[in-house]
Amino acid sequence: MSDWSERELGRAAVLRAVAVDGPVSRTVLAGRLAVSPATVTAITRDLLADGLLEPAGKEPGGNRGRPAELLRVVPGAAVALGVKVAATQVTGVSVDLLGDTLSAFEHPFAAHEPDPVATLARILGPHVEAAGHHLIGLGLGVPGVVDTASGHVTAPTLQWSDVPLGPGLAELLHVPVVVDNDVHTLAIAEHLYGRAKDVDDALTVTIGRGIGLAITVGGRLHRGAHGGAGELGHTRAVADGPLCGCGRRGCLEAIASETGMVRRAISEGLLPAGGTPAELRELAQRDGRAASIFAAAGSALGRSVGDLVNLLAPTLILIAGEGTAAWPLLEAAFRAAFDEQVLDTHPEVEIAVDPWDDRAWARGASSLLLGSVYAPEHMTRLGQGAEIRDRLQAVNGGADDGR
Ligand SMILES: [Zn+2]
């Protein structure tokens, strides 16, 4: 199962610590990682030789004796492409080794048309080319169930069933490709750079067209046996509730997603056919019936997330997705239902709202690759990590490529 050698684990830990805390001295690194200075010296020598770290001057004065040399990550040592695939468009970013965005793009995309893999390859080909020699791979986040070992995707919202997205794109574009569920990619990004950086037990709840969930338990992203864990949207929120896209009744998604709320507003004559979430938000400012749709949604969501707290005892709940635009309309009902549902024995749980846009989701997809470089195996566990790390070394001359 493990594709990490001891040496790689050491390299990843040092690289990540420098990325997070750099510029930093070897002595401080050794203390932070609880390893001997000699170990840190050996690993950093490797990383300096591979061009992944560089000297960053001397430690500012104060200490007696020789001031220690500081090290930092070379941001340009790697470029990763991250892409969020949605039903009607793809959004992508290229990021450097620190996860900072270098460029961004957006293309229309019709997911339901025949041969979506070839279409995506045509869209992404020029961006792969533009990323150049330092590209370590392509990460994709898709709104569906992903078999992370094979890279195959089943996604009802895209009308995809067992589409070989990962292997297909790798063959057509000649780069390593890593695919995961889009909510998972967002959670990995939160753990790499975001609010969940030092948090082992967190829930990432996304609201928007659907309701998504990524569960991190003990620092590990829980995918379940087949990658399908986290279908919060299709847990039953009310008996005999409205019909859900999955064909059943009363799912949380049918009540608390933008799609579900707009559908209810249309059926109650509050919005015309074809009304939008933005129109419903606007209407709720002056119409109590529209506001009550948001209150019902917030309440259902608060109860469900409260149940998750009782089950999983996280310390942090991140709420993200385009639906957070309605958070001011959802929050009071959410809080009331949440507080009522969570057992008194649980200590206070932090709830943070992260209004990330599609570009942030794409950046999350790039974290699949950087996660393969930085994160402990159990955070990403994608099977292709070794390939990404080999490539990182190769593009920086660590392997014999004639450079
Ligand atoms: Zn459902």
Side-chain angles (χ1 to χ4, degrees), residues 233-234 244-248 251 253:
H234 301 287
C244 179
C246 73
R248 296 174 305 148
C251 292
E253 194 159 297

Side-chain angles (χ1 to χ4, degrees), residues 14-346:
V14 168
L15 202 53
R16 183 171 190 199
V18 179
V20 170
D21 297 325
V24 62
S25 72
R26 291 173 181 79
T27 316
V28 170
L29 274 176
R32 207 152 290 173
L33 297 168
V35 295
S36 73
T39 302
V40 166
T41 301
I43 294 172
T44 54
R45 190 188 302 128
D46 254 21
L47 292 169
L48 283 158
D50 288 348
L52 302 181
L53 294 184
E54 65 187 2
K58 303 284 183 193
E59 207 163 35
N63 287 351
R64 257 201 285 257
R66 205 154 57 95
E69 184 181 50
L70 298 172
L71 298 171
R72 69 178 166 220
V73 166
V74 180
V79 176
L81 274 180
V83 176
K84 175 176 164 51
V85 179
T88 58
Q89 68 169 17
V90 293
T91 309
V93 295
S94 66
V95 304
D96 64 21
L97 194 49
L98 290 175
D100 289 328
T101 304
L102 302 171
S103 65
F105 57 87
E106 240 178 65
H107 291 278
F109 171 60
H112 61 277
E113 282 179 6
D115 215 353
V117 178
T119 307
L120 276 175
R122 268 197 306 279
I123 291 172
L124 299 175
H127 299 287
V128 167
E129 210 148 293
H133 172 71
H134 281 92
L135 182 68
I136 54 169
L138 179 61
L140 293 112
V142 291
V145 176
V146 179
D147 181 331
T148 49
S150 70
H152 286 229
V153 179
T154 295
T157 55
L158 306 181
Q159 299 177 35
W160 289 6
S161 174
D162 202 32
V163 169
L165 185 63
L169 285 179
E171 194 188 319
L172 292 168
L173 296 173
H174 311 291
V175 286
V177 177
V178 183
V179 189
D180 203 346
N181 169 271
D182 56 358
V183 183
H184 290 171
T185 66
L186 196 62
I188 292 172
E190 289 281 15
H191 280 275
L192 270 181
Y193 327 104
R195 294 177 189 251
K197 218 181 229 176
D198 298 311
V199 180
D200 280 343
D201 296 279
L203 302 174
T204 305
V205 178
T206 59
I207 53 179
R209 281 171 63 109
I211 305 281
L213 170 68
I215 305 163
T216 312
V217 180
R220 167 184 292 214
L221 184 60
H222 178 75
R223 290 195 169 80
H226 309 289
E231 291 286 0
L232 177 65
H234 301 287
T235 54
R236 182 74 52 94
V238 292
D240 283 332
L243 191 64
C244 179
C246 73
R248 296 174 305 148
R249 287 192 172 277
C251 292
L252 179 61
E253 194 159 297
I255 293 160
S257 69
E258 289 183 335
T259 322
M261 287 190 281
V262 166
R263 193 177 295 144
R264 178 174 161 191
I266 292 170
S267 77
E268 292 181 6
L270 298 170
L271 282 183
T276 66
E279 286 164 5
L280 185 58
R281 287 197 298 272
E282 202 270 320
L283 184 65
Q285 306 295 338
R286 53 194 159 78
D287 184 317
R289 290 169 304 166
S292 74
I293 292 179
F294 287 99
S299 178
L301 198 61
R303 234 177 1 254
S304 291
V305 175
D307 271 338
L308 290 173
V309 170
N310 291 336
L311 283 170
L312 299 165
T315 54
L316 173 67
I317 294 164
L318 290 163
I319 299 183
E322 70 270 23
T324 54
W327 188 247
L329 295 162
L330 298 166
E331 185 175 9
F334 176 95
R335 282 277 176 187
F338 178 85
D339 289 343
E340 193 189 314
Q341 194 69 15
V342 174
L343 291 171
D344 294 338
T345 46
H346 283 287

